[in-house]
Amino acid sequence: MDFNQNNNNEYRKLYKSRNRMLCGVCGGIGEYFNIDPTVIRLLWIIFSVVGGCGILAYIIAAIVIPEY
């Protein structure tokens, strides 16, 4: 059994969302995990303030994650 497939036997791909605030990274992650993008945005802000490397991670994700 392959755990990387969903119920429709299709691979899910991570793309930037069209529902974007800045680059669409948080929206794309929210769509990928079926979570409200606002929750992802709030978690990303908390991670940036507490951990300090959230801004760098966002910039890297904006470059690496492809457009839809």
Side-chain angles (χ1 to χ4, degrees):
M1 175 178 243
D2 190 3
F3 292 106
N4 293 328
Q5 295 181 356
N6 62 12
N7 294 337
N8 297 333
N9 290 331
E10 297 177 7
Y11 288 102
R12 294 188 305 172
K13 295 183 180 180
L14 178 61
Y15 292 106
K16 292 181 190 173
S17 176
R18 294 182 182 173
N19 175 18
R20 51 178 67 193
M21 292 284 224
L22 291 176
C23 294
V25 172
C26 293
I29 292 171
E31 291 172 2
Y32 183 81
F33 289 111
N34 293 325
I35 300 173
D36 186 15
T38 305
V39 174
I40 301 296
R41 290 179 184 118
L42 289 173
L43 290 173
W44 206 293
I45 290 170
I46 292 169
F47 179 69
S48 296
V49 171
V50 174
C53 63
I55 296 171
L56 179 62
Y58 190 91
I59 293 170
I60 292 171
I63 294 170
V64 173
I65 297 174
E67 295 284 335
Y68 182 67

